[in-house]
Amino acid sequence: MSAEKDLYAVLGASPSDSVHQLRHRYQQLALQYHPDRLGGSSEADSGVKKFLEADAAWRVLSDQNTRREYDLQRRAQELKQDWPVDSTVCLEDMTWDEDECVYAYGCRCGGGFSVSEEEVEEETQRRQQEEEQEAEGGVMVCCDTCSLSVCVTWSLHRKTQMLK
């Protein structure tokens, strides 16, 4: 599965749509662009391409497991994009949420920012493998309810000692 093309956009849908709504959108596109319906018209090539894209999107989004995996990849891609940083938060200033197993920090909108221990460990290891000279690690985290984002930072040396 590739997160390069937005499969929801291919179907003219949104991530909040139900499987029933996605099926309806897929069926509309299939009827409109099916190669048998287009015949030998000049629009057939572009129609076949649109049909194949819609069919591929439907195959991923119709199954609960592949849709969940696609949504996770999509979210990860969104987090990797260059977002404007609203502020910087030190990992030490975040609270550890035992239930969710994440570091959490409240947003001014009432939502929150969270970063998992795995994300911190992966970024720390990545920077150490690349032998980056920076003394701090960091990840960009988006609020779970609004468009604000923060850069969560931590001391690579201190975090390495904490992991051992």
Side-chain angles (χ1 to χ4, degrees):
M1 270 174 288
S2 172
E4 293 173 10
K5 182 164 258 192
D6 184 355
L7 301 182
Y8 292 104
V10 168
L11 294 179
S14 73
S16 61
D17 286 351
S18 68
V19 173
H20 176 74
Q21 291 168 313
L22 293 174
R23 179 184 301 118
H24 179 73
R25 294 192 184 277
Y26 166 70
Q27 289 172 337
Q28 287 177 324
L29 292 171
L31 285 172
Q32 184 177 357
Y33 295 111
H34 195 279
D36 291 342
R37 185 172 178 125
L38 297 174
S41 72
S42 61
E43 298 174 359
D45 287 342
S46 66
V48 168
K49 183 179 177 189
K50 289 179 182 177
F51 173 77
L52 292 174
E53 286 177 352
D55 188 58
W58 171 244
R59 288 176 191 256
V60 171
L61 299 177
S62 64
D63 179 76
Q64 182 181 6
N65 293 328
T66 57
R67 182 176 180 177
R68 185 179 319 121
E69 185 178 327
Y70 173 74
D71 287 343
L72 289 172
Q73 289 176 357
R74 211 168 158 259
R75 173 84 169 130
Q77 184 64 32
E78 288 173 359
L79 292 174
K80 288 180 183 176
Q81 293 177 355
D82 292 330
W83 295 93
V85 178
D86 297 303
S87 65
T88 300
V89 177
C90 293
L91 188 65
E92 293 81 16
D93 294 335
M94 299 178 82
T95 57
W96 177 250
D97 184 336
E98 288 285 334
D99 297 331
E100 299 291 324
C101 294
V102 295
Y103 292 98
Y105 188 79
C107 180
R108 64 181 181 222
C109 75
F113 303 97
S114 62
V115 62
S116 70
E117 183 71 21
E118 291 93 24
E119 290 175 296
V120 173
E121 290 174 15
E122 287 173 9
E123 180 64 13
T124 299
Q125 290 173 2
R126 183 191 71 78
R127 288 185 184 239
Q128 288 172 344
Q129 287 174 353
E130 293 178 4
E131 297 179 358
E132 293 186 21
Q133 301 301 314
E134 296 177 37
E136 280 192 338
V139 292
M140 183 68 64
V141 182
C142 295
C143 176
D144 58 10
T145 58
C146 74
S147 63
L148 296 177
S149 58
V150 296
C151 181
V152 177
T153 62
W154 61 90
S155 167
L156 288 176
H157 304 296
R158 183 168 183 221
K159 187 62 191 165
T160 303
Q161 292 169 353
M162 290 170 60
L163 294 175
K164 291 182 180 178

